[in-house]
């Protein structure tokens, strides 16, 4: 049993995990996020020196901190030699082993599937043979009960990559011992991961090669079954992903996390009327109760960066409204991870501090309220879940406009009073803010979709 220390650095809002591994003296890092101060703090806390940074692939869901971290610490920065990048790196290839300190040996293993040039890294402790590996850092290859999705490079590559993914997972299972821990980058809610069978996205926080061999569809199914089921389960992925790989290939710098300039009510109104995004970071209950007319609600208590990055027209200036400077700083940290580097401005306090006008607001309700209101008047039921969620089970008569399409399709929402819902309330609140800014009369349903059938709303679909 190895006593090497493996520390996960979680980014739950993006569904990713980076790793810092050390032997008490020196350390290496795998797939660091853009905000490298978290890594630097861990290095200091553990009293170890960073010597190597490894990337499993050119990431599609976040901007890497690898280059900035290597430059800050003097560590060697390892990126697949076949990746086309515009910065100096230490090229690494399949089968190449790197000695880290006196005990750790890291071996690159080609595991294409998520991308063509994807690498996994097997770790041994004082041993040379892969059969003695204690861990594998599998990036977007072998995940917990799933695999990284194969369609992010374009539809023309998906069918080749999904077959590569199956072969890569079997390569890891064949080369490494059952006891080796599996440490993926994706698979904790990331849209970079797939659903393939009932075992996928099981909520596991740790696993081994042996456990995955028994439960992961990529290792229990034959290739054709795996390919068929995985391709059938692929859904939409955030639009901002299109900007991540180019940013990572260009070599991202360290982010500037200092607060942007403050904005007064006149400036905020000017920015809203100019078509910029002025984003209220408060929770959905507070926003519904009162907000500045024309602002959008992306609360910090949900998938803030994912959905803001998905909906915004890339390059649109963003101003952040938070109750405290700490809330604004948290939002900035989330945004730099997806390449939105500097907000245009910020303001703190509450909506009465942000405008001289009367506050806007809208009602909130439950599915039980919707069931009651439908008895005595017609309302528009707008389902903003993704298409595959709506098709599986939906309220009879509901109109489906997925949240990520709403900003460009808001004119398609039927006339009348709109009751908007999602699966749990967060996406409905974002959608409600978009509808409210467009001048619609609405009610935001802040409730679990599981309750819809329980209160007598008729559902349709194969899972209804």
């Amino acid at each position: 049993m190895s006593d090497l220390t493996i520390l996960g650095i979680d980014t739950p809002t993006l569904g990713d995990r980076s790793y810092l591994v050390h032997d008490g003296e020196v350390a290496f890092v795998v797939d660091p996020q853009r905000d490298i101060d978290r890594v630097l703090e861990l290095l200091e806390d553990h009293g170890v020196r960073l010597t190597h940074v490894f990337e499993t692939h050119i990431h599609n869901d976040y901007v890497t901190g690898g280059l900035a971290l290597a430059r800050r610490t003097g560590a060697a920065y390892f990126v697949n030699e076949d990746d086309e990048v515009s910065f100096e790196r230490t090229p690494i290839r399949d089968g190449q082993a790197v000695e880290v300190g006196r005990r750790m040996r890291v071996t690159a293993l080609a595991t294409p599937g998520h991308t063509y040039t994807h690498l996994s890294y097997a770790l041994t402790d004082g041993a040379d043979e892969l059969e003695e590996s204690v861990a594998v850092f599998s990036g977007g290859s072998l995940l917990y009960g799933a695999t990284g999705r194969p369609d992010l490079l374009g539809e023309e590559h998906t069918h080749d990559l999904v077959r590569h993914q199956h072969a890569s997972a079997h390569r890891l299972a064949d080369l490494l011992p059952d006891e080796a821990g599996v440490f993926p980058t994706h698979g904790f809610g990331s849209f970079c991961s797939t659903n393939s069978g009932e075992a996928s996205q099981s909520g596991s926080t740790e696993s081994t090669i042996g456990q995955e061999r028994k439960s992961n569809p990529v290792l229990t199914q034959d290739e054709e079954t795996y390919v068929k089921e995985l391709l059938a389960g692929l859904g939409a992925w955030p639009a901002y992903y299109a900007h991540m790989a180019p940013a990572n290939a260009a070599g991202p710098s360290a982010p500037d996390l200092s607060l942007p300039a403050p904005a007064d009510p006149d400036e905020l109104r000017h920015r809203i009327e100019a078509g910029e995004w002025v984003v209220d970071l408060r929770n959905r209950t507070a926003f519904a109760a009162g907000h500045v007319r024309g602002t959008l609600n992306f609360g910090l208590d949900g998938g803030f960066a994912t959905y803001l990055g998905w909906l915004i027209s890339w390059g649109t200036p963003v101003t952040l409204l938070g109750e405290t400077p700490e809330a604004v700083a948290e939002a900035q940290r989330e945004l730099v991870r997806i390449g939105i580097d500097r907000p245009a401005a910020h303001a703190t306090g509450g909506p009465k501090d942000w405008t001289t006008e009367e506050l806007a607001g809208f009602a909130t309700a439950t599915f039980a309220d919707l069931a009651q209101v439908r008895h005595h008047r017609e309302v528009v039921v707008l389902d903003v879940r993704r298409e595959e969620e709506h098709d599986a089970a939906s309220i009879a008569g509901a109109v489906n406009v997925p949240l990520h399409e709403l900003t460009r399709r808001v004119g398609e929402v039927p006339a009348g009073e709109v009751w908007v819902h999602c699966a749990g309330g967060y996406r409905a609140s974002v959608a409600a803010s978009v509808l409210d800014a467009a001048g619609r009369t609405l009610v935001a349903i802040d409730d679990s979709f599981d309750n819809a059938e329980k209160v007598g709303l008729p559902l349709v679909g194969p899972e209804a």
Side-chain angles (χ1 to χ4, degrees):
M1 188 72 175
S2 173
D3 62 354
L4 296 176
T5 298
I6 300 177
L7 302 170
I9 306 170
D10 287 345
T11 306
T13 51
L14 295 182
D16 291 321
R17 184 177 289 174
S18 307
Y19 299 95
L20 186 151
V21 186
H22 71 81
D23 62 3
E25 296 180 359
V26 298
F28 69 87
V29 168
V30 181
D31 290 345
Q33 288 271 343
R34 182 84 180 283
D35 47 329
I36 61 174
D37 56 332
R38 294 188 292 168
V39 178
L40 297 173
E41 289 173 8
L42 271 181
L43 291 167
E44 184 175 352
D45 290 345
H46 287 257
V48 293
R49 178 171 55 91
L50 183 66
T51 58
H52 299 73
V53 178
F54 297 94
E55 296 282 10
T56 59
H57 60 293
I58 301 296
H59 301 285
N60 285 291
D61 67 330
Y62 67 87
V63 178
T64 182
L67 181 61
L69 182 62
R71 287 176 172 172
R72 175 72 176 270
T73 61
Y77 187 33
F78 289 86
V79 177
N80 193 322
E81 68 176 3
D82 291 330
D83 283 321
E84 295 183 6
V85 297
S86 58
F87 53 86
E88 290 189 11
R89 41 78 194 272
T90 303
I92 191 167
R93 60 187 181 278
D94 179 42
Q96 182 176 338
V98 178
E99 303 292 339
V100 182
R102 295 178 295 175
R103 294 172 51 186
M104 298 182 288
R105 181 182 176 92
V106 178
T107 302
L109 299 172
T111 46
H114 190 44
T115 67
Y116 284 107
T117 56
H118 189 284
L119 295 172
S120 296
Y121 296 99
L123 170 65
T124 57
D125 181 3
D128 294 337
E129 302 300 324
L130 288 175
E131 291 85 352
E132 298 183 60
S133 295
V134 297
V136 59
F137 300 92
S138 53
S141 180
L142 184 64
L143 312 183
Y144 297 155
T147 52
R149 62 190 300 163
D151 59 329
L152 298 182
L153 300 187
E155 185 178 353
E156 66 273 22
H157 300 294
T158 300
H159 286 270
D160 287 339
L161 285 171
V162 69
R163 294 183 184 279
H164 284 311
Q165 194 71 294
H166 185 270
S168 292
H170 281 264
R171 184 187 188 202
L172 292 179
D174 291 342
L175 287 175
L176 306 176
D178 281 352
E179 311 81 60
V182 176
F183 296 89
T185 301
H186 306 313
F188 310 96
S190 170
F191 281 93
C192 269
S193 53
T194 61
N195 292 324
S196 177
E198 295 180 355
S200 64
Q201 298 296 314
S202 63
S204 298
T205 58
E206 60 183 32
S207 189
T208 64
I209 289 291
Q211 289 171 323
E212 293 305 310
R213 194 193 302 277
K214 294 176 182 177
S215 61
N216 195 316
V218 73
L219 296 175
T220 61
Q221 295 175 340
D222 64 83
E223 181 178 344
E224 294 307 318
T225 302
Y226 165 79
V227 168
K228 180 181 177 181
E229 292 192 5
L230 185 145
L231 294 179
L234 291 174
W237 42 272
Y240 72 84
Y241 277 21
H243 304 280
M244 298 300 95
N248 288 324
S253 60
D256 178 1
L257 291 174
S258 62
L259 282 175
D264 62 18
D266 288 341
E267 180 181 344
L268 294 175
R269 175 52 51 198
H270 172 76
R271 290 186 178 279
I272 292 170
E273 292 178 353
E276 299 182 12
W277 276 30
V278 178
V279 175
D280 190 326
L281 304 171
R282 296 175 301 147
N283 66 52
R284 55 187 180 264
T285 302
F287 183 85
H291 57 268
V292 178
R293 177 175 53 86
T295 56
L296 301 175
N297 181 218
F298 292 83
L300 287 173
D301 57 339
F304 164 72
T306 294
Y307 288 107
L308 190 152
W310 203 334
L311 271 66
I312 197 168
S313 294
W314 206 248
T316 301
V318 176
T319 293
L320 300 174
L321 306 179
E323 292 177 305
T324 64
E326 291 75 19
V328 174
E330 181 181 346
Q332 284 183 261
R333 182 177 292 272
E334 294 279 359
L335 291 178
V336 298
R337 292 170 179 159
I338 64 167
I340 299 176
D341 277 12
R342 289 298 292 165
H346 87 285
T348 56
K352 292 182 179 179
D353 303 310
W354 303 331
T355 185
T356 57
E357 304 171 357
E358 183 178 349
L359 297 183
F362 49 79
T364 61
T366 65
F367 284 107
D369 296 324
L370 175 61
Q372 289 297 318
V373 81
R374 291 181 91 186
H375 288 310
H376 56 84
R377 72 175 189 272
E378 282 192 20
V379 297
V380 177
V381 179
L382 178 63
D383 181 352
V384 296
R385 296 176 302 158
R386 294 186 298 280
E387 184 178 357
E388 62 268 24
E389 296 175 274
H390 175 83
D391 289 347
S394 61
I395 297 170
V399 176
N400 179 222
V401 179
L403 175 60
H404 62 272
E405 299 177 6
L406 183 61
T407 52
R408 67 177 185 272
R409 295 180 58 192
V410 67
E412 298 178 26
V413 178
E417 180 182 318
V418 181
W419 286 56
V420 57
H421 81 86
C422 60
Y426 185 86
R427 287 176 288 176
S429 178
V430 175
S433 72
V434 172
L435 294 168
D436 183 67
R440 298 299 303 267
T441 300
L442 67 106
V443 176
I445 298 178
D446 190 1
D447 197 1
S448 170
F449 186 71
D450 292 341
N451 293 325
E453 187 173 29
K454 296 176 184 177
V455 299
L457 288 167
L459 300 188
V460 295
E463 296 181 14

